[in-house]
Amino acid sequence: MAGPASPLYTQRDLNCLSDPDRSTRKRALEKISKDLGSLAKKPAEFTPEIAEKSLDDLHKPLLKCMRDQAEKCREISVMILASLFPLVKDPAPFIADTVAGIRERLGSLPQSEESEEVRLEVLKLLEVLLRLSPLTSREHLNEVVVILEMACLDKFPEAKRLSADMIVSLCAAEGPRLTEHASAMIKALSSNLAHQQQKIRLAGLRGIEALIPHAEPAVLTEALPLISRLNIDRAHQLREAVLRVVAGWLPVLPPSATSKILPTLLHGAADELEQVQVASVELMERVGEVDAAATAAVLSRLLLNVRVE
């Protein structure tokens, strides 16, 4: 690519990135990372055109370093890419190979990347790409979905949380195109609804909340038993959150979904905490205003079951 020389590195730095000695590679990466941190604060000196020239020269060596035997080399290379991409004028030419590199590290189980911290940085790199360019999800949706599914199943809690947050953003950008992927993604997210950390359970719920409106009706039927377990979660925040989630689905899902969702919503009325009880009643009143017939039918069935018992 034609363009001005980059102040970010010398030819020796580029050569050192492929040196057989890991210490030499690490020093070169650390130097480039440090210099990038300084240059990023000087947009007049490190212009988008120069940043793009820099990425053009560094892209392939850094992708290769993402597979380095040394964990620190892998981590720094990913962080350089994540810092450099937002500075370039046009990231499009570099996205395909970067997404492929990310999928290589995260897109299977067990994941090729052994380090939890590096896996999180690689996932953050994907987040940067998705935020910077619609091309990432538009042309590489299958790869992005696979990466996020595997990240939901990651043992590292922060990777679980970030992947769920990214799924919410992906639904906002590509919702109608996710129908064929929704079932597998919801299954991966559902595995986190029983996680010991409250924030991971909540993140999983938020991801499912965003996906359900784009899923086939059968997916809701499969997911509700798992979602409904949050009715008895030890954290009252989760018990209230699940009520608001299912109530939020009612206006956007087909009428046939109402009878499936209402029992989960009604459960909150018997919660041990008054705050959750009040939320359940208020949400039921809103639902009743929207679909009084369906609400009455479900209530009748529940009352009938109580009498039978």
Side-chain angles (χ1 to χ4, degrees):
M1 179 185 296
S6 175
L8 182 57
Y9 49 82
T10 64
Q11 184 60 48
R12 183 177 184 279
D13 293 330
L14 294 177
N15 293 340
C16 287
L17 292 179
S18 57
D19 193 275
D21 181 66
R22 68 171 61 189
S23 296
T24 301
R25 299 194 301 273
K26 178 172 174 286
R27 284 194 297 270
L29 287 165
E30 288 174 336
K31 176 181 178 297
I32 293 170
S33 179
K34 180 180 178 181
D35 290 348
L36 179 58
S38 300
L39 289 169
K41 301 174 184 176
K42 304 174 183 177
E45 180 179 345
F46 197 62
T47 64
E49 291 78 12
I50 295 178
E52 191 166 334
K53 171 66 167 64
S54 302
L55 184 56
D56 189 45
D57 288 341
L58 289 170
H59 191 230
K60 289 184 178 179
L62 290 175
L63 289 180
K64 183 178 179 181
C65 286
M66 282 175 60
R67 305 189 300 270
D68 200 282
Q69 291 182 346
E71 177 182 330
K72 198 63 180 177
C73 289
R74 300 196 303 273
E75 181 178 17
I76 299 174
S77 65
V78 174
M79 295 174 73
I80 292 172
L81 286 169
S83 298
L84 192 51
F85 260 104
L87 303 178
V88 306
K89 188 175 182 179
D90 179 18
F94 310 100
I95 287 176
D97 287 344
T98 308
V99 171
I102 294 171
R103 179 170 183 173
E104 180 183 338
R105 304 308 296 165
L106 301 183
S108 61
L109 287 180
Q111 292 160 315
S112 298
E113 177 52 62
E114 297 177 353
S115 166
E116 291 183 342
E117 289 74 15
V118 178
R119 291 201 300 272
L120 183 61
E121 293 301 328
V122 176
L123 196 59
K124 288 180 180 178
L125 173 59
L126 179 61
E127 184 183 30
V128 168
L129 298 182
L130 289 168
R131 184 178 70 248
L132 287 178
S133 175
L135 183 71
T136 307
S137 57
R138 188 171 65 239
E139 296 194 2
H140 307 286
L141 184 62
N142 290 342
E143 292 89 341
V144 170
V145 166
V146 168
I147 293 165
L148 292 180
E149 282 180 28
M150 297 301 102
C152 286
L153 300 172
D154 198 305
K155 294 180 180 180
F156 190 33
E158 284 306 304
K160 291 177 178 291
R161 182 196 57 77
L162 179 57
S163 58
D165 292 346
M166 290 170 66
I167 286 172
V168 173
S169 299
L170 186 63
C171 286
E174 302 286 351
R177 297 179 61 208
L178 292 174
T179 300
E180 65 178 288
H181 304 288
S183 179
M185 296 176 81
I186 288 172
K187 184 177 180 181
L189 286 163
S190 295
S191 67
N192 296 328
L193 295 180
H195 194 272
Q196 63 181 356
Q197 293 187 24
Q198 177 183 329
K199 64 180 180 180
I200 305 304
R201 301 197 300 278
L202 181 58
L205 177 63
R206 294 303 181 200
I208 295 171
E209 176 185 18
L211 280 166
I212 283 292
H214 308 294
E216 297 288 352
V219 176
L220 175 65
T221 304
E222 296 171 0
L224 269 176
L226 298 172
I227 297 167
S228 297
R229 293 177 186 173
L230 295 178
N231 278 140
I232 56 174
D233 194 274
R234 60 183 177 274
H236 71 86
Q237 295 91 339
L238 265 294
R239 301 200 301 273
E240 184 173 345
V242 73
L243 302 180
R244 299 191 183 282
V245 166
V246 297
W249 285 335
L250 288 170
V252 298
L253 293 181
S256 58
T258 302
S259 60
K260 300 175 183 177
I261 290 173
L262 283 178
T264 302
L265 183 55
L266 283 165
H267 195 285
D271 195 89
E272 63 184 23
L273 193 67
E274 183 178 0
Q275 175 182 330
V276 180
Q277 295 174 14
V278 170
S280 177
V281 172
E282 290 178 349
L283 292 168
M284 280 299 304
E285 289 175 351
R286 294 180 199 171
V287 171
E289 293 171 1
V290 175
D291 195 342
T295 304
V298 173
L299 286 170
S300 297
R301 286 201 300 273
L302 291 174
L303 288 172
L304 180 61
N305 290 339
V306 169
R307 291 187 187 120
V308 170
E309 292 173 0

